[in-house]
Amino acid sequence: MAQSPSSTIPPHPLDDPHSYLSISYHHSLPFVTVIALNRPKKINAINAQMWKEIGDAFGKIGTIGDGCRCILMIGCGKGFCGGIDVTDEKFFSGLVGNSGDDDTSQDVARKSLSFRSQISQMQSAFTAVEECPVPVVAAIHGACIGAGIDLTCCADVRVCSPDAKFSIREVRLGLAADVGTLQRFPKLVGFGSYVRELCLTGDDFNADDALRIGFVSRISKSNDSLIEIANDICLRISRNSPVAATITKASLNFSRDHSVSEGLEHIALQNSTALMSEDLVKSFLMTGGTAPHFEPLRSHSRL
């Protein structure tokens, strides 16, 4: 599903350090960065290293002065994401004690406390997608299972192909989903009976089901046209002021988890600064459907 970038497109500064992600400037859309899950032989099942790479990439893009205004997230190969890679022992090493521990001396409480930090680290990696200042569009094809649902719940917009197959699979593996699906999925689509059925049975649901409950906003006419639909959404997002898009995303996320009055106070504080942007005047003066030139967002300062 991933598209090969043109040889004239410069390499993305974040691509080199990653083994299981492919990060590139979009081959035809300025201001759009493509992040591809890149373990096609494993249907992009997420191992521990890939998990950390996701958190690292989304924690930086849009904050390093890269000019990015929108991220397109895709999967290489036959499916978007087959879930967690259960063959990676690093995920479960904390359950049996770390190397060098005298496991016989640890009671259940101590084992639990030592394992909690790993769960928090995994949660934070996916939360980086949600907290990324740049809007994220997920184009989903084929399998989107378990951790794939966790990941796509953090995207701002989701579209899928007709062959997309979804499952909140964790319950069938003997555990409750613990990196975001049970918290985000119902807030995206509602807390109704069907959602609880999906979470409690681990049953598959298809593209039509995902559209009906609002998990995706569109289904492409064919598998091949999925990227065209996603590209069009990315283009329309990236034409807008990056300041306006960043504040809009932040307000939507904040308002989802707070009362209306708290959300109004939050956007008032945000816009008291954002409305001073020259982007406002440029947007009002836009003529002929031509997007104005917006300055890129500055790099975020760090210690």
Side-chain angles (χ1 to χ4, degrees):
M1 182 58 63
Q3 297 183 353
S4 299
S6 167
S7 59
T8 62
I9 303 297
H12 196 283
L14 294 181
D15 192 35
D16 287 344
H18 299 100
S19 301
Y20 301 112
L21 294 183
S22 174
I23 305 175
S24 60
Y25 295 110
H26 198 285
H27 69 286
S28 63
L29 298 180
F31 316 120
V32 176
T33 295
V34 180
I35 297 184
L37 309 183
N38 194 15
R39 294 189 79 204
K41 293 183 179 179
K42 292 280 190 176
I43 318 179
N44 300 314
I46 306 177
N47 60 11
Q49 178 60 29
M50 186 177 181
W51 210 293
K52 289 186 284 189
E53 291 178 4
I54 290 170
D56 175 72
F58 281 96
K60 292 178 180 176
I61 292 180
T63 73
I64 58 175
D66 52 355
C68 180
R69 299 184 191 174
C70 186
I71 294 172
L72 173 60
M73 181 167 59
I74 61 177
C76 296
K78 296 181 178 180
F80 179 81
C81 178
I84 190 172
D85 184 355
V86 295
T87 67
D88 189 342
E89 296 179 355
K90 289 185 179 180
F91 281 126
F92 308 104
S93 61
L95 293 174
V96 296
N98 295 317
S99 178
D101 287 344
D102 180 7
D103 203 42
T104 60
S105 66
Q106 293 188 8
D107 64 14
V108 173
R110 286 174 171 80
K111 288 183 179 180
S112 174
L113 289 172
S114 69
F115 189 61
R116 181 188 299 174
S117 61
Q118 178 179 319
I119 298 176
S120 296
Q121 183 181 14
M122 293 169 69
Q123 291 174 341
S124 296
F126 282 8
T127 297
V129 180
E130 183 176 73
E131 294 181 347
C132 177
V134 177
V136 179
V137 176
I140 306 163
H141 74 291
C144 183
I145 307 297
I149 298 280
D150 289 304
L151 180 59
T152 52
C153 277
C154 297
D156 299 287
V157 179
R158 289 163 295 278
V159 294
C160 73
S161 61
D163 73 339
K165 180 179 71 174
F166 304 88
S167 176
I168 303 167
R169 188 66 58 84
E170 286 85 350
V171 71
R172 288 168 57 180
L173 300 178
L175 69 153
D178 59 4
V179 291
T181 290
L182 300 184
Q183 292 70 41
R184 294 185 176 100
F185 188 74
K187 288 189 175 182
L188 293 171
V189 304
F191 285 83
S193 175
Y194 184 60
V195 168
R196 288 177 179 259
E197 178 183 330
L198 293 175
C199 294
L200 291 167
T201 62
D203 288 348
D204 294 345
F205 59 104
N206 60 27
D208 289 334
D209 295 325
L211 180 64
R212 176 171 56 83
I213 63 177
F215 185 61
V216 300
S217 54
R218 302 187 190 192
I219 304 173
S220 60
K221 292 183 179 179
S222 67
N223 295 340
D224 292 337
S225 64
L226 173 63
I227 291 300
E228 294 177 15
I229 288 179
N231 283 347
D232 179 66
I233 295 171
C234 290
L235 173 63
R236 287 185 285 119
I237 291 173
S238 65
R239 282 177 170 170
N240 295 323
S241 158
V243 173
T246 293
I247 300 300
T248 297
K249 174 172 179 173
S251 182
L252 286 169
N253 286 344
F254 184 90
S255 297
R256 178 197 61 191
D257 299 326
H258 295 80
S259 68
V260 171
S261 61
E262 290 169 325
L264 289 171
E265 181 178 4
H266 176 266
I267 192 60
L269 290 171
Q270 295 283 322
N271 263 2
S272 63
T273 299
L275 290 176
M276 306 297 177
S277 171
E278 61 184 17
D279 292 8
L280 183 67
V281 176
K282 290 180 178 180
S283 297
F284 269 96
L285 295 178
M286 181 177 67
T287 58
T290 302
H293 171 73
F294 297 117
E295 294 296 328
L297 297 177
R298 287 188 171 189
S299 301
H300 291 198
S301 63
R302 292 181 172 89
L303 292 178

